[in-house]
Amino acid sequence: QLQLVESGGGLVQAGGSMRLSCAGSGINNRAIGWYRQAPGKQREFVARASITGVTSYQNSLRGRFTITRDYDKNTVYLQIDSLKPEDTAVYYCNTWPPNTTNWGQGTQVTVSS
């Protein structure tokens, strides 16, 4: 099975930026999505990139989130700009559509006001 590892999270002040990474062998042959789960809320879709790099975003997040692929590094990135406290969540990557049995640990993003 495809195994993906998220990294890059941490503590950041509101208004700052952060780039998350999703890495794994075989990732280049899969459509990949970023998802997040805030405290007390359901996991939600954030962004996705097709195998060829065509991107799509949740409409409410469009403009602050950018998903990109680096095929040489077998990595999919999520750039988050103008961070808001409500962006605080555990961020996960998975295939698109996600394999519901293969959610990983995710990476915690905490935004202070």
Side-chain angles (χ1 to χ4, degrees):
Q1 294 184 350
L2 179 67
Q3 291 189 338
L4 303 174
V5 179
E6 304 96 338
S7 63
L11 177 64
V12 64
Q13 290 187 334
S17 297
M18 182 171 288
R19 188 175 74 164
L20 311 181
S21 298
C22 174
S25 61
I27 193 172
N28 291 347
N29 294 320
R30 296 293 196 94
I32 299 296
W34 280 98
Y35 314 81
R36 70 181 185 181
Q37 186 168 26
K41 297 184 178 180
Q42 297 294 313
R43 182 153 37 209
E44 65 177 345
F45 165 78
V46 175
R48 69 175 189 264
S50 74
I51 294 173
T52 58
V54 178
T55 61
S56 184
Y57 301 89
Q58 184 188 128
N59 287 333
S60 63
L61 304 177
R62 191 181 302 274
R64 298 193 299 113
F65 291 75
T66 305
I67 185 170
T68 57
R69 309 191 70 137
D70 188 328
Y71 296 95
D72 290 339
K73 296 182 178 179
N74 295 294
T75 300
V76 179
Y77 300 102
L78 181 69
Q79 175 76 29
I80 315 175
D81 298 314
S82 301
L83 280 157
K84 303 176 180 180
E86 52 263 43
D87 293 323
T88 295
V90 178
Y91 285 72
Y92 303 88
C93 63
N94 206 330
T95 55
W96 175 267
N99 184 330
T100 58
T101 66
N102 200 37
W103 293 107
Q105 184 177 1
T107 184
Q108 175 72 50
V109 173
T110 303
V111 184
S112 62
S113 59

